[in-house]
């Protein structure tokens, strides 16, 4: 090899080494970024102006790892679900639990689809509150209820009070009754007044499915349903005032046979339940769901339990017990 050729080969080796070093360094940085990104910590405002929301202001890397907590809970709940199904207490059970501070979560059958039923009333409320941000006077407008048809008669869990026929109600009052009492008459009036387009737009905004036809009954999962509560808690879709208002209403929900029954008395739970059954044929499979935020001190978490079976009492107890397990787990790892 000539001296000139040797110098060229040497320079080529040096350049190759430099490029290799840059590539390795970039790959290392990319790995570190990915590693820290998936261990991110959500940064929130330290304010005391709100009771039910906790607005996001950014992200940072987190040093803590809660995987053991959720691994233990997952094993416990999975064993319980298998036992309930084996004993015929339910035909299908899904559970999803998410730490609202860290974003850590666990799920069992969390993507299985169910009929959301009255869970969908939360979307109706959010659509109206979104509209009220554009038109503040809308919540005071009145809708007329003729009383000819009482849709609450179709419910297994009937509201404590019902609308009086032949009178008008402010939209704000109808929203309260729809959420707190799960009133079907209130929901029907609000739905007819709002129209389908705004609901479709809401679900599209959140990246959630919407039934393409009346035959598509099962279209919501425990994990996908968590999005509506997460955007309320994080105040990322509605304004802070409206998000707070929505969760405060949900904290007054009358239904106390599911999630609420599984936590200590006095614990604040902002939640919504949904039921599906057939009045003309009580032997057909039933569905009962309960999803919402449990405000454990300094460590609030979202929990959603969706069930199918033949007996509402069995389904109530299933939701109650899974709620109890989740609360006990959070309590254990918080002390």
């Amino acid at each position: 090899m000539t001296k000139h050729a040797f110098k060229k080969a040497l320079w080529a080796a040096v350049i190759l080494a430099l490029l290799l070093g840059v590539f390795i360094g970039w790959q290392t940085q990319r790995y570190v970024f990915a590693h820290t990104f998936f261990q991110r910590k959500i940064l929130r405002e330290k304010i005391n102006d709100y009771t039910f929301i906790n607005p996001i202001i950014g992200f940072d890397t987190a040093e803590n790892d809660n995987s053991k907590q959720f691994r233990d809970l997952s094993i416990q709940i999975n064993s319980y679900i298998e036992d309930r199904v084996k004993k015929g207490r339910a035909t299908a059970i899904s559970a999803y639990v998410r730490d609202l501070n860290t974003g850590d979560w666990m799920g069992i059958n969390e993507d299985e689809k169910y009929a959301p039923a009255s869970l969908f009333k939360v979307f109706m409320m959010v659509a109206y509150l979104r509209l009220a941000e554009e038109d503040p006077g809308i919540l005071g407008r009145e809708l007329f209820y003729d009383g000819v048809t009482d849709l609450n008669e179709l419910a297994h869990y009937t509201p404590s009070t019902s609308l009086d026929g032949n009178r008008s109600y402010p939209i704000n009052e109808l929203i309260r009754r729809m959420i707190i009492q799960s009133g079907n008459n209130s929901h029907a009036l609000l739905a007819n007044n709002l129209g389908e387009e705004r609901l479709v737009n809401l679900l599209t905004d959140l990246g959630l499915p919407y039934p393409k036809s009346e035959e598509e009954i099962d279209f919501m999962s425990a994990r996908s349903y968590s999005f509506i509560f997460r955007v309320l808690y994080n105040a990322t879709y509605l304004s802070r005032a409206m998000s707070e208002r929505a969760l405060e209403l949900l904290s007054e929900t009358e239904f106390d046979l599911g999630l609420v029954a599984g936590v200590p008395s006095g614990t604040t739970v902002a939640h919504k339940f949904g039921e599906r059954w057939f009045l003309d044929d009580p032997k057909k499979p039933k569905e009962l769901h309960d999803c919402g935020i449990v405000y454990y001190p300094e460590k609030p978490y979202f929990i959603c339990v969706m069930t199918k079976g033949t007996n509402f009492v069995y389904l109530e107890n299933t939701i109650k017990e899974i709620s109890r397990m989740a609360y006990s787990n959070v309590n254990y790892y918080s002390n």
Side-chain angles (χ1 to χ4, degrees), residues 16-302:
L16 180 61
L18 288 172
L19 290 174
L20 184 60
V22 170
F23 177 77
I24 292 173
W26 176 77
Q27 288 287 351
T28 302
Q29 281 187 321
R30 188 176 67 167
Y31 171 78
V32 171
F33 171 77
H35 181 67
T36 55
F37 177 79
F38 286 108
Q39 287 187 339
R40 67 187 181 277
K41 177 175 64 179
I42 299 172
L43 300 179
R44 300 182 182 275
E45 289 192 8
K46 291 180 169 59
I47 54 176
N48 298 315
D49 297 341
Y50 302 99
T51 302
F52 296 95
I53 67 172
N54 197 352
I56 286 178
I57 60 173
F59 297 92
D60 195 1
T61 57
E63 299 299 329
N64 62 313
D65 180 5
N66 292 321
S67 61
K68 185 179 188 304
Q69 171 186 350
F70 284 93
R71 184 168 62 248
D72 291 346
L73 180 60
S74 179
I75 292 171
Q76 185 181 17
I77 292 178
N78 186 60
S79 176
Y80 175 75
I81 287 176
E82 289 179 348
D83 181 68
R84 294 295 282 182
V85 172
K86 183 178 180 180
K87 291 179 177 177
R89 299 296 189 263
T91 56
I93 304 170
S94 295
Y96 181 83
V97 182
R98 185 183 185 93
D99 186 319
L100 293 176
N101 286 337
T102 66
D104 293 330
W105 61 273
M106 63 119 298
I108 306 295
N109 307 319
E110 70 274 12
D111 292 320
E112 184 168 342
K113 303 292 194 302
Y114 297 79
S118 286
L119 293 180
F120 209 71
K121 291 172 181 173
V122 177
F123 293 99
M124 183 68 67
M125 172 181 63
V126 170
Y128 267 98
L129 295 181
R130 178 81 163 189
L131 185 59
E133 292 178 344
E134 306 166 10
D135 180 9
I138 191 172
L139 297 180
R141 294 175 193 168
E142 296 188 342
L143 301 179
F144 181 75
Y145 174 58
D146 58 21
V148 174
T149 302
D150 183 7
L151 297 176
N152 289 330
E153 292 180 349
L154 303 176
H156 176 77
Y157 301 95
T158 56
S160 57
T161 61
S162 190
L163 297 179
D164 296 324
N166 200 34
R167 62 160 289 190
S168 297
Y169 290 87
I171 287 177
N172 188 48
E173 175 63 18
L174 293 172
I175 291 174
R176 283 188 59 85
R177 288 172 177 262
M178 176 183 68
I179 295 299
I180 295 174
Q181 301 177 340
S182 200
N184 290 331
N185 296 322
S186 300
H187 177 257
L189 289 177
L190 292 168
N192 291 335
N193 179 68
L194 183 69
E196 186 178 32
E197 183 179 356
R198 282 192 173 269
L199 276 178
V200 173
N201 290 340
L202 169 60
L203 270 75
T204 300
D205 287 345
L206 299 179
L208 293 172
Y210 191 81
K212 300 178 180 63
S213 67
E214 293 183 0
E215 287 72 36
E216 190 179 359
I217 302 298
D218 298 331
F219 66 93
M220 192 70 70
S221 69
R223 177 159 61 170
S224 62
Y225 189 70
S226 73
F227 294 165
I228 190 65
F229 274 85
R230 287 158 58 187
V231 298
L232 288 176
Y233 182 76
N234 295 328
T236 51
Y237 188 77
L238 297 176
S239 68
R240 295 178 181 184
M242 287 300 188
S243 297
E244 177 82 359
R245 184 175 189 166
L247 287 171
E248 184 176 10
L249 279 178
L250 289 160
S251 74
E252 298 175 26
T253 298
E254 291 181 348
F255 183 75
D256 60 359
L257 300 175
L259 297 181
V260 172
V263 301
S265 177
T267 302
T268 299
V269 184
H271 67 117
K272 186 70 190 74
F273 84 99
E275 61 163 274
R276 180 171 182 252
W277 74 304
F278 300 87
L279 189 62
D280 60 336
D281 188 356
K283 293 183 179 180
K284 284 186 177 180
K286 303 169 175 59
E287 295 189 28
L288 181 64
H289 323 308
D290 201 358
C291 307
I293 298 172
V294 177
Y295 287 88
Y296 186 94
E298 307 299 326
K299 199 167 184 179
Y301 60 92
F302 173 83

